[in-house]
Amino acid sequence: MTQRNDAARPDPYDGYRDTFDRIAPLDVAAMLRVLWHGKWLVLCALLFTTGVTGYYAFRMAQPQYTAVATSQLGGADDATSGMAAPQDRDETALNTAAALVTSDPVLTRVVAALDLLADPEFNRYLAPTKPFSPNALRTQLRHWLAGTTEQPPDEAAILDKTIQNLRRALTVTRQADTYILHITAQSHDADKAVTLANTTAALYLTHMEAAQRQKQVTTEALLQARVTDLRAELAQQDAQAAAIIASAQIQGDIALDALTAQVLAADQDLSEARNALRALEVAPDSGSARNTAEIAQLREKINEIAALKDRRSAQLSVQSEGHAALQQIALQTEATRLVYQSFLAQLQENRMQQGLGTAAGLRITPATKGTYAGPQKMLLLTVASVLGTLLGIIAVAIRHMTRKGFIDANSLHDATALPVLAQFSHRALRYFNSGGRALATRPQTGLSQAGRRLHTALALTPQGSTAKVILSTSSTVAEGKTHHALLLARTLGMSGKRVVLIGADTSDPLLQSLLGAAPFHAAQQSWATGEQATHCPSLGADVLVIPELTDRHAPLLPDQLTLRLDSLRQRYDHIIIDAPPVMAAPEALLFARQSDAIIYAVRWSKTPRDMVQRGLEALRDIGHPATGLVLSQINLRRMRQWSNDPCLSALQAAQTL
């Protein structure tokens, strides 16, 4: 293998390769961890699908039984009877014969033979319709869309619907390259399935034999009529031949040849006599009495010969025309006789086939017992379990991908580049719901420890170490900012500092519930009149409450707020401001400009990432960025399930709360 020379000129393809975006590898462990944490959701989906399927398979679905009867289309009978099989038994004809099993004429006979109109399995009109069943709802919806009303069905509609239901219960298949049909019947009862299959097969053969007999009868009538017509035509042609023979006195071929020879002999005699007459007329002794007598005698002979020739020629012409007409009639008679013999043979064959009809029982293999066909309970449960597992996995994946908030401090820090000062669980912040008793606790409680951790983390920041005015805000309401302000004020107040808490968000009822109605209104009056702040012993600090900003006739002016806070800076070591949310009230930015440190609350897994970014950006725009973040109202169990932070188990702040 050739080693790369590092001293050589760099490969230009190295920079080109660096421009490609690297595809992040699939974190299979994280994916499995997400699925494991969502195991209860997967289990619930699995139990739901298997429970519904099991209830349907074991309680709702009726058992189905099938029975198969075998029918023969007649190919074997034709072979054993010594007759040629019909030539039209091609695939189309066989498939047509199979389709005729479920035709209306056959099924009408089955309905009548088994009295299926009185069977609720096939005549659904016998069973009362439940008002909220799928069929009833579908029918009502169809009538509502069509603008019609439901009418009671007549006998024809009931019969038609029964035939349709029976057709759905029957299945006809043809075995390849055979004349065998398999008629499969399905029913809720095994014996009924056997009866349906056998009755359908028998009535189908009966229908086919009746149709075949009707066809043979019709064919025989047509053949008989044709044979009769041909026989009459032959008799007529024989009569014409006899009439021609009688009228022309036609003789045999020998007599006709003799007559032809006589005509030829007379013609020769006539020619010789005329030659002799010409010889006498030019003889030397012409004009003599003897010559004259011979000429007269010869002329008389010529006339006799000519008359004989004419008679024989006329007889020959009549005989020739009679022979031609007779020959033409003979040809027509022969052709008619051939057609007559053909139709007569077909008539005899048709009568023979009628006499060789095969009994239906020899062409049916009846069904003997019904077999269980469904529902396949174990198969349904298996499919339901697989489907439930897939649905659960999909639900877990959707829940994981659509989670819009921050689920741990690591992701919050990575998204904002700000330190996370503290984390508070939802269970810890619920202690504030007990009112003023929540603050009257010993310093060793978990709530007091949480306040000290928040103050310590804030003091470790460059801004928080010398901050006198500390602001607590958030993006929206109900994110725990008031809790953080109370914890920080209580921690500083219990440490001997002079602390004042300014409640600038009167829309949050938590402060009023902790102080009580009278102290709360007194704190409002203190802010309005500029008097001494109301002291809260359980909090260890003074309290000022700014009246609701929407009730003030005059806006909160920045100059007035600056003068008021400057006076408070001279009297107190720390000023804690519970400001309204940044995205909800613009006055929060006024308080932020007067603050030395800003604590920004983010609700665990609830506050959208974009809203947190916009709130922090608003603070940066005024030149007072947030000092640190507090991840509040954490669900510890779900946090351990959803978070991929390997150091999560070492975060004692969230675990102790």
Side-chain angles (χ1 to χ4, degrees), residues 438-551:
L439 299 177
T441 56
R442 293 176 299 175
Q444 291 79 14
T445 60
L447 197 61
S448 300
Q449 295 177 5
R452 289 195 296 271
R453 288 193 180 94
L454 176 59
H455 175 260
T456 302
L458 180 62
L460 292 176
T461 62
Q463 296 176 347
S465 60
T466 59
K468 293 193 65 174
V469 180
I470 303 173
L471 179 73
S472 178
T473 186
S474 62
S475 300
T476 60
V477 297
E479 296 199 52
K481 60 179 182 58
T482 304
H483 300 84
H484 310 155
L486 290 171
L487 282 174
L488 191 58
R490 183 177 182 276
T491 300
L492 293 174
M494 292 300 178
S495 64
K497 299 288 186 178
R498 292 176 300 170
V499 181
V500 61
L501 174 64
I502 300 177
D505 186 12
T506 55
S507 61
D508 193 343
L510 178 61
L511 183 59
Q512 183 176 0
S513 65
L514 291 175
L515 297 179
F520 184 79
H521 291 294
Q524 284 183 329
Q525 294 296 326
S526 300
W527 176 270
T529 59
E531 298 177 357
Q532 185 69 26
T534 302
H535 184 71
C536 179
S538 60
L539 190 62
D542 295 340
V543 179
L544 290 174
V545 178
I546 301 178
E548 189 171 356
L549 299 178
T550 57
D551 295 338

Side-chain angles (χ1 to χ4, degrees), residues 31 34-35 38 41-42 389-405 605 642:
M31 182 176 61
V34 170
L35 294 178
L41 183 58
V42 176
T389 303
L390 291 178
L391 290 177
I393 293 174
I394 293 173
V396 171
I398 292 175
R399 185 185 67 177
H400 180 74
M401 291 186 296
T402 57
R403 194 175 295 121
K404 58 184 179 180
S605 185
W642 296 351

